[in-house]
Amino acid sequence: MTAADERLDALHAEIRAHKAAGCGFEPCETCTNMVPGEGPATASVVIVGEAPGAKEDQQGRPFVGNAGRLLDKLLAEAGMERDDVYITNVVKARPPGNRDPRKDEVAHHWPWLERQLELIRPALLVPLGRHALARFAPEARISEVHGTVLEAEGRRLFPLYHPAAALHNPGLREQLVEDARALGRALAP
Ligand code: URA
């Protein structure tokens, strides 16, 4: 295990322990498990979703439900496996009833994501869906920038539609597969 992996593990432990911190923010207090993220500190790609859902909350792991299964297929289309990438969310605790996270909750969780990105320093960051995209490039529209490389605030982004949105929308699913292949090409040396 590299020193960076150890630092990332320590950060994960800090996030998990936060549930008992009594911070007063609803998702941190009502969740079953905090969901820090997972993957190697050496990953050149970081995938960022919005917030954990019910399955993720139960298991303490990101993208382990239906959207996660589709994400695994998309990674395969891009020529990668789940273990090659680091996967996390903007918000590390499930908002009750899967409601959208509030602004102050996002701000409360944001420093953890910044520390994760600081440790991993990915070549490419993949925000999933318009909510995650808005945290990195507030002016960008997912309908215009999905499947393309975008530079924002010193970061190289490759936004994709959120896999959950494509689960019941075959057109969006086709687009996501096409964009995942474009991601593979963008990563090719
Ligand atoms: N949707 C997300 O945005 N993140 C998860 O971890 C699961 C579903």
Side-chain angles (χ1 to χ4, degrees), residues 35 49-53 56 61-64 67 88-89 162 164:
V35 182
E50 179 65 3
E56 290 75 22
R61 297 180 56 212
F63 283 96
V64 288
T88 190
N89 285 296
H162 198 295

Side-chain angles (χ1 to χ4, degrees), residues 43-49 80 85-90 110 113-118 120-129 131-137 142 145-160 183 186-187:
S44 53
V45 176
V46 169
I47 314 260
V48 183
M80 291 183 282
V85 299
Y86 185 82
I87 306 180
T88 190
N89 285 296
V90 174
W110 187 252
L113 182 54
E114 288 202 317
R115 285 167 63 193
Q116 287 169 321
L117 294 174
E118 185 60 33
I120 300 167
R121 295 185 172 272
L124 204 60
L125 197 155
V126 179
L128 297 178
H131 293 298
L133 174 63
R135 317 297 177 202
F136 296 101
I142 189 81
V145 299
H146 67 89
T148 63
V149 176
L150 180 72
E151 306 277 344
E153 293 173 16
R155 293 190 170 109
R156 205 162 164 251
L157 311 179
F158 196 97
L160 293 179
L183 170 61
L187 289 167

Side-chain angles (χ1 to χ4, degrees), residues 19-177:
K19 178 175 160 45
C23 66
F25 284 95
E26 194 179 25
C28 305
E29 307 231 311
T30 59
C31 71
T32 310
N33 289 296
M34 301 288 290
V35 182
E38 64 185 24
T42 49
S44 53
V45 176
V46 169
I47 314 260
V48 183
E50 179 65 3
K55 281 257 161 58
E56 290 75 22
D57 179 60
Q58 279 163 18
Q59 296 186 31
R61 297 180 56 212
F63 283 96
V64 288
N66 290 336
R69 265 191 295 282
L70 179 51
L71 179 60
D72 289 346
K73 287 187 187 140
L74 294 168
L75 289 173
E77 292 287 352
M80 291 183 282
E81 289 179 16
R82 197 180 167 102
D83 290 350
D84 297 331
V85 299
Y86 185 82
I87 306 180
T88 190
N89 285 296
V90 174
V91 168
K92 316 297 192 202
R94 180 192 185 216
N98 290 354
R99 66 163 169 76
D100 284 347
R102 302 192 174 110
K103 254 193 168 160
D104 60 347
E105 292 164 352
V106 170
H108 177 57
H109 288 234
W110 187 252
W112 284 319
L113 182 54
E114 288 202 317
R115 285 167 63 193
Q116 287 169 321
L117 294 174
E118 185 60 33
L119 274 172
I120 300 167
R121 295 185 172 272
L124 204 60
L125 197 155
V126 179
L128 297 178
R130 66 189 169 96
H131 293 298
L133 174 63
R135 317 297 177 202
F136 296 101
E139 307 298 323
R141 287 165 163 253
I142 189 81
S143 56
E144 290 168 5
V145 299
H146 67 89
T148 63
V149 176
L150 180 72
E151 306 277 344
E153 293 173 16
R155 293 190 170 109
R156 205 162 164 251
L157 311 179
F158 196 97
L160 293 179
Y161 283 115
H162 198 295
L167 285 175
H168 306 291
N169 182 334
L172 208 55
R173 198 183 166 109
E174 265 174 43
Q175 185 64 62
L176 250 178
V177 169

